Amino acid sequence: MKVKIILFSIFMLAISSYKSNAQTKPNMPQSIISTSASIRTYNDDKTLKAMSKGELVELYIERMKVIVRILPKIGLATKPGVTMTDLGIPDTSDNKKALDLEKDATQTYLDITQDYLRKMLPFCDKGQLINAILFYEQTLKALRDLEVQ
């Protein structure tokens, strides 16, 4: 009975992933900066000091991921959702390949770095971690202000 349930679950998962792949539009322009590269709230020193080190580690990693996704591309765009077409970059196969390669490389870097940070950051000083988060958030605020100008 358990085997039937497992096989049925795998079958349903395969069907749902096939449908989602069939529904994606291959010719849709891709964003240069991932739409997940943004934060909703900024913190102050007092709020961060009230958090546990585990919460600070996760917040630090979240901020680092946004910085890595945006900072190298500020010459092109500073906000998520901007496409090559929006910037007047030709939508050629070479440009698409370059964008795909960069996204894959960034994701690989983030996966490795995230794993490393989750292992190492718990050993760091809480005050240093708070200062680093505040630095990242100030940098993100400056980028937000840059796009307004």
Side-chain angles (χ1 to χ4, degrees):
M1 183 67 176
K2 288 183 182 179
V3 173
K4 288 181 181 180
I5 293 172
I6 292 172
L7 289 175
F8 180 74
S9 298
I10 292 172
F11 176 74
M12 293 305 291
L13 182 63
I15 288 176
S16 66
S17 80
Y18 173 76
K19 284 183 178 181
S20 69
N21 285 341
Q23 291 175 353
T24 59
K25 297 179 181 177
N27 293 331
M28 289 291 296
Q30 294 182 24
S31 294
I32 290 176
I33 297 175
S34 170
T35 53
S36 65
S38 64
I39 61 173
R40 292 180 188 15
T41 60
Y42 295 92
N43 298 285
D44 60 12
D45 192 43
K46 185 178 179 182
T47 305
L48 294 175
K49 284 181 180 177
M51 296 174 119
S52 70
K53 194 181 257 190
E55 291 172 314
L56 291 171
V57 166
E58 291 306 314
L59 191 60
Y60 177 92
I61 290 171
E62 178 187 318
R63 288 354 189 206
M64 178 274 306
K65 288 166 60 174
V66 172
I67 292 278
V68 167
R69 287 190 172 118
I70 294 176
L71 206 56
K73 300 169 189 143
I74 62 172
L76 294 168
T78 57
K79 61 183 176 179
V82 176
T83 66
M84 290 189 301
T85 305
D86 295 336
L87 299 173
I89 299 171
D91 200 20
T92 65
S93 63
D94 284 344
N95 289 344
K96 287 179 185 178
K97 284 181 192 174
L99 182 59
D100 289 340
L101 182 62
E102 191 279 333
K103 285 184 180 199
D104 290 344
T106 298
Q107 190 58 51
T108 300
Y109 170 77
L110 287 173
D111 291 343
I112 293 167
T113 302
Q114 184 174 332
D115 183 51
Y116 169 77
L117 291 173
R118 281 211 171 94
K119 291 176 183 171
M120 299 299 166
L121 285 178
F123 297 103
C124 76
D125 178 65
K126 186 175 178 178
Q128 182 66 23
L129 193 53
I130 289 170
N131 289 337
I133 292 168
L134 290 171
F135 173 77
Y136 278 167
E137 289 186 359
Q138 288 299 322
T139 303
L140 291 167
K141 284 179 187 176
L143 287 171
R144 183 190 61 200
D145 294 343
L146 182 66
E147 75 184 44
V148 172
Q149 295 176 357

